[in-house]
């Protein structure tokens, strides 16, 4: 009996009708002989609603109380999905234990303490194994964990993908044979670009971890980048598919498998896809004194503030002064501004900080490009 981690995104649990459908879907997988482990997101729109409430009170709300608040959407879906699976199991006349609800802290999903961007450090698989041994179906809240002080933490927007893959990886590491991971979303696979923006986009039947990581990091939010990193590291095959129609989606596999498995191409596809990220900001630091340790001071301060920096451009210095520009996501803009102002005050008094928002980034992705001119 293979363990099948099934992650249902916001739209898949977006209404009671959808939740009843998910319950049948999970029990069908069980009836086919798989052992489902269910991971759920908040109902669609719920996390946005909670984020917006917090931002109406404080401009940079990221804190212990913020994570506690925005993690609550997943608690609602876990409760509803568990109720729905148990009701559907009773209708089918299935006896014995069925679904049990788990929040991140109850399951032992341990993270660091970086609120709103926490990283999973370890997952205690004992409770999960116990559930599987007694043939139960664990229903787990995605997106959340617990830090060493017992605070609820969240994994960044889209983080339920990462919860699901991390659970699959932890089960695999604990010696569970044959762990697969399915990511159910509102499109039926990974496309050459966002099919909601470009209807001519084509579904990619199979893609390697490296290309998927690039697409995800460059703005294709169909999978959170960290979920793909974990999948690549622990060799967890992913199947991205739709819970609306039972069709084959996209398999995310290793490069070796892509080259050798069914449907392998003789020559590498040069371009796998195009990603766009409409939420970029650019900072330009003017009149920065040139010298050893300057870049370390700037990017060290940004790193301490947990700002993710993307593209960096440094001009040639003139008169011992230079300009440094970098881009980051818009959600990090206020944190970056605060860190840079503090740096200007204590270390670079003449430095000017110019921020430009409303930028977008378009990227073309493909591992085949490294061997092709043009
Ligand atoms: P979920 O709530 O299920 O996690 P998300 O909204 O996080 O769903 O991700 C699915 C969305 O990702 C799709 O609706 C689509 O608009 C977007 N998307 C962006 N790029 C791609 C791509 N290359 N292929 C498929 N979907 C994409
Ligand atoms: N509910 C969270 C979000 O909206 C996590 C997720 O959906 O993956 O970002
Ligand atoms: Mg998502």
């Amino acid at each position: 009996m293979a363990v099948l981690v099934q992650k249902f995104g916001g739209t898949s649990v977006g209404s009671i009708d959808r939740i009843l459908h998910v319950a049948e879907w999970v029990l069908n997988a069980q009836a086919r002989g798989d052992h489902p482990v269910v991971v759920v997101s908040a109902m669609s729109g719920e996390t946005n609603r909670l984020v917006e409430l917090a931002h109406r009170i404080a401009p940079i709300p990221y804190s212990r109380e913020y994570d506690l608040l925005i993690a609550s959407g997943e608690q609602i879906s876990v409760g509803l999905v568990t109720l729905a699976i148990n009701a559907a199991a009773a209708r089918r006349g299935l006896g014995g234990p069925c679904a049990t609800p788990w929040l991140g802290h109850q399951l032992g999903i341990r993270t660091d303490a970086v609120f709103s961007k926490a990283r999973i450090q370890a997952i205690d698989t004992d409770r999960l194994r116990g559930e599987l041994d007694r043939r139960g179906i664990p229903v787990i809240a995605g997106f959340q964990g617990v830090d060493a002080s017992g605070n609820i933490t969240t994994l960044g927007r889209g983080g339920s993908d990462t919860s699901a893959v991390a659970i699959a990886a932890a089960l695999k590491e604990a010696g569970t044979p044959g762990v697969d991971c399915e990511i159910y979303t509102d499109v039926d696979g990974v496309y050459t670009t966002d099919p909601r923006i470009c209807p001519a986009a084509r579904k990619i039947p199979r893609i390697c971890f490296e290309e998927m990581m690039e697409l995800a990091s460059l703005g294709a939010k169909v999978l959170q980048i960290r979920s793909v990193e974990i999948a690549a590291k622990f060799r967890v095959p992913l199947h991205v598919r739709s819970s609306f129609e039972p069709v084959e989606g996209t398999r995310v596999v290793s490069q070796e498998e892509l080259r050798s498995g069914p449907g392998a191409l003789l020559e590498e596809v040069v371009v796998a896809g195009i990603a766009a990220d409409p939420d970029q900001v650019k900072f330009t630091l003017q009149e920065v004194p040139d010298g050893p340790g300057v870049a370390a001071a700037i990017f060290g301060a940004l790193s301490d503030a947990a700002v993710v920096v993307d593209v960096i451009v440094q001009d040639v210095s003139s008169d011992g002064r230079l300009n440094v520009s970098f881009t980051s996501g818009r959600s990090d803009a206020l944190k970056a501004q605060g860190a840079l102002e503090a740096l200007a005050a204590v270390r670079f008094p003449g430095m000017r900080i110019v921020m430009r928002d409303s930028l977008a980034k378009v990227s073309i992705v493909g591992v085949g490009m490294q061997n092709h001119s043009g």
Side-chain angles (χ1 to χ4, degrees), residues 7 41 158 161 185 221-224:
K7 179 257 168 175
S41 294
D161 298 330
T185 184
K221 67 165 186 161
V222 60
L223 286 176
Q224 197 197 38

Side-chain angles (χ1 to χ4, degrees), residues 7-13 41-45 157-161 183-197 201-204 207 212 215-216 219-224 240-241 244 250 272-276:
K7 179 257 168 175
F8 294 94
T11 321
S12 305
V13 294
S41 294
M43 296 170 82
S44 55
R157 298 306 305 271
S160 300
D161 298 330
I183 306 284
Y184 287 95
T185 184
D186 56 1
V187 284
D188 64 358
V190 178
Y191 279 69
T192 46
T193 192
D194 187 340
R196 296 192 193 285
I197 297 176
R202 279 173 292 141
K203 186 156 92 184
I204 306 172
I207 186 167
M212 194 60 238
L215 280 176
K221 67 165 186 161
V222 60
L223 286 176
Q224 197 197 38
V240 180
R241 52 189 305 209
F244 294 77
T250 297
I274 302 175

Side-chain angles (χ1 to χ4, degrees), residues 214-278:
E214 291 284 332
L215 280 176
S217 71
L218 294 167
K221 67 165 186 161
V222 60
L223 286 176
Q224 197 197 38
I225 166 118
R226 279 157 51 198
S227 69
V228 194
E229 285 167 1
I230 299 172
K233 182 165 171 192
F234 294 95
R235 294 285 181 244
V236 178
L238 302 182
H239 186 186
V240 180
R241 52 189 305 209
S242 160
S243 62
F244 294 77
E245 321 156 66
V247 294
E248 176 76 11
T250 297
R251 305 271 174 177
V252 189
V253 297
S254 66
Q255 273 197 51
E256 303 80 66
E257 212 175 312
L258 194 66
R259 290 204 183 105
S260 59
L265 298 175
L266 212 54
E267 286 260 42
E268 210 92 60
V269 174
V270 179
V271 172
I274 302 175
D277 181 349

Side-chain angles (χ1 to χ4, degrees), residues 7 9-10 41-43 46-48 70 73-74 142-143 156-162:
K7 179 257 168 175
S41 294
M43 296 170 82
E46 182 62 9
T47 312
N48 284 350
I70 65 167
E74 270 68 13
F143 183 50
R157 298 306 305 271
S160 300
D161 298 330
T162 301

Side-chain angles (χ1 to χ4, degrees), residues 27-43:
L27 290 178
N28 288 345
Q30 190 186 45
R32 280 194 304 272
D34 284 322
H35 205 149
V37 170
V38 178
V39 177
V40 293
S41 294
M43 296 170 82

